[in-house]
Amino acid sequence: MTGVHRPLSDWVVRLGPPPAPGTSPINDGDERADARDLPLFTEGWVRRAVAAGPDRPSVLALQHPATAVTYVELDDHGAPLRIGEAGAELIGRVETSWPRPVLGPDDLTALASLSREVRYLLLHRLSQEGAPPPGVFHSLPWEPVTELASAVVRLLDGGAPPSLSAEALDLGHWVTPAALGVTGPLEQLHEGLTEPDPVLAARGGTALCAGLRAADPARFPAPVTTALAEVARRLATVNPFLRHAAVLAAGRLTGATSSGFVTGLEPALPKSASGTADRAVVDRLGDDGPFAVRTEITPGGRLKVTVELALEATPERERLLDAYGGAFLPVVVASPGGTLRYWVALEARRRWLSGTLDVPVVRGEFRAEDAVTGVWGLAGVSPDELLPSLAGTHRAGLRVWRAAADLSPAGHPLRRALRRLGGEGGAS
């Protein structure tokens, strides 16, 4: 990507009469097009701040020096994006040094002074196409995120719902250039705790743990990192199904990363002293806490996974299982041939939940770092992807799958996968 000056927004409007009478002024008559992809702006344009009319504030624009044709950039509501000359010059310098812009302290201060709409559009393009330093994203409007995260911590501690600003109640997309899968789940978790709606809270907490583990913590300002880490720590204490994933998420935010639920897989078993292959290679993953995962590679070329979660049978556990509609631990095998996802169905016993999975082993890396999910967490999974997990479970695990299917809506992929399993000669 070179330093081409082109729209940041997907809507632009030409100053002056439209190219054809009667056409919409937006995108030269094609409102459905994305101005950022229009061939018109391939090259030759410069960044400007122009006055949209007499006695009106300057707005963000692109101008062609040879023809003086000028296009003004618009926000999501069709209003011109206000900006001063210094702000337009800053954006021009960033684009000129694409894709690795060099921004000094003064530049970062100037960036933070731009409207949130312009900051979002610029940093969205940077995150998609460039390689900006993480600190650039600190200029996004993070205060509402910190406010909402602090409110969620209070709710998880059993406090009353605090009053929040309108910005905290609707975070929108303003900080998504820095991280996806964080603000939406945080809002969902807050709503589930406030309602209260146990299913919504469980779904929000599960998605938030995944989003935090995938995010780059360096893109978060320190107050945001602290607030989100506190949310993850509280989730680990109030929901045992989220415990290990929340601890990993908090550790990632604070720099205390762990590989306790990762191990390598090697189908070729080591030789014993007699020259024959050992009976099995066994790894126990995790610490001495209530959650443990055991992997076993057998001489027959199988990977056997055993999961145990110490959790006494209490009314609280039953409420949790009701909210989940069944408990399933996602596990991943990443190999040179691609990534395989499986789910281990957990059967509720008196003092723990446990489950097993038996699938062919491949060379690669095994990971069990995601949170236990519910039947709602399988709604976006295809029946073909669920089938290996269904075929690899034992009789008790299959009962868990079927019970979850009974609670799922018509057309849920789990229902279709179970019908397909039966049709292929599987257990009925």
Side-chain angles (χ1 to χ4, degrees):
M1 184 71 192
T2 59
V4 174
H5 301 283
R6 59 187 178 84
L8 299 178
S9 172
D10 55 356
W11 277 357
V12 295
V13 62
R14 181 175 177 170
L15 285 185
T23 62
S24 168
I26 295 176
N27 293 354
D28 284 347
D30 191 356
E31 295 183 18
R32 296 185 179 182
D34 189 333
R36 294 168 291 191
D37 300 327
L38 292 176
L40 170 67
F41 298 105
T42 300
E43 60 181 12
W45 297 83
V46 294
R47 183 63 65 184
R48 290 284 187 267
V50 301
D55 301 323
R56 299 184 68 178
S58 59
V59 295
L60 187 64
L62 288 164
Q63 189 174 78
H64 200 289
T67 62
V69 171
T70 303
Y71 284 86
V72 171
E73 301 207 37
L74 309 179
D75 64 16
D76 291 341
H77 302 287
L81 291 163
R82 294 188 180 186
I83 198 167
E85 188 63 41
E89 290 178 358
L90 171 63
I91 294 175
R93 292 200 306 273
V94 170
E95 291 177 313
T96 300
S97 60
W98 210 262
R100 296 181 180 275
V102 178
L103 299 172
D106 291 342
D107 294 325
L108 294 177
T109 301
L111 180 61
S113 68
L114 300 177
S115 69
R116 68 176 184 177
E117 290 85 358
V118 172
R119 277 179 285 164
Y120 165 77
L121 290 170
L122 177 61
L123 293 180
H124 175 74
R125 182 181 168 196
L126 278 172
S127 67
Q128 294 293 310
E129 303 175 1
V136 170
F137 296 94
H138 294 185
S139 64
L140 292 168
W142 290 102
E143 293 80 6
V145 179
T146 305
E147 182 184 355
L148 184 62
S150 300
V152 168
V153 169
R154 178 173 173 177
L155 290 168
L156 289 170
D157 285 342
S163 59
L164 294 170
S165 66
E167 291 78 9
L169 288 171
D170 184 10
L171 297 178
H173 60 273
W174 301 113
V175 301
T176 54
L180 296 174
V182 173
T183 52
L186 184 64
E187 290 177 311
Q188 192 176 42
L189 175 59
H190 174 261
E191 184 179 349
L193 294 171
T194 305
E195 290 286 337
D197 184 335
V199 174
L200 192 62
R203 297 183 68 167
T206 302
L208 180 61
C209 288
L212 291 177
R213 280 188 32 245
D216 179 0
R219 292 186 172 192
F220 298 152
V224 178
T225 301
T226 300
L228 291 175
E230 279 302 307
V231 172
R233 292 191 189 100
R234 294 302 200 282
L235 286 174
T237 63
V238 303
N239 186 338
F241 288 174
L242 298 179
R243 184 176 295 136
H244 81 287
V247 168
L248 290 174
R252 177 166 172 75
L253 289 171
T254 58
T257 56
S258 170
S259 58
F261 294 96
V262 179
T263 189
L265 300 178
E266 177 55 64
L269 296 176
K271 301 295 183 181
S272 66
S274 64
T276 60
D278 288 339
R279 288 193 303 170
V281 173
V282 177
D283 277 325
R284 186 183 186 280
L285 311 180
D287 51 25
D288 295 327
F291 180 75
V293 178
R294 180 180 181 270
T295 63
E296 177 184 350
I297 301 175
T298 71
R302 306 291 294 181
L303 169 64
K304 294 186 176 181
V305 181
T306 304
V307 179
E308 288 190 356
L309 174 60
L311 189 59
E312 293 277 353
T314 63
E316 179 58 32
R317 189 183 82 169
E318 293 308 307
R319 284 192 291 269
L320 191 62
L321 287 171
D322 286 343
Y324 276 67
F328 308 93
L329 177 71
V331 298
V332 173
V333 175
S335 72
T339 299
L340 301 173
R341 290 197 301 168
Y342 301 100
W343 290 263
V344 184
L346 303 183
E347 179 191 13
R349 299 175 180 270
R350 181 180 176 186
R351 295 183 177 177
W352 63 83
L353 279 75
S354 64
T356 63
L357 180 72
D358 186 339
V359 294
V361 67
V362 296
R363 181 180 289 105
E365 183 181 73
F366 173 89
R367 297 195 300 269
E369 298 180 316
D370 292 317
V372 173
T373 190
V375 67
W376 33 260
L378 306 173
V381 182
S382 72
D384 286 341
E385 197 172 6
L386 287 173
L387 272 173
S389 300
L390 298 176
T393 191
H394 51 36
R395 188 180 299 274
L398 200 54
R399 287 198 296 267
V400 175
W401 284 113
R402 286 176 172 152
D406 290 340
L407 297 173
S408 65
H412 192 283
L414 176 54
R415 288 177 176 263
R416 293 152 57 197
L418 281 168
R419 286 197 299 268
R420 193 171 302 174
L421 181 70
E424 294 176 357
S428 60

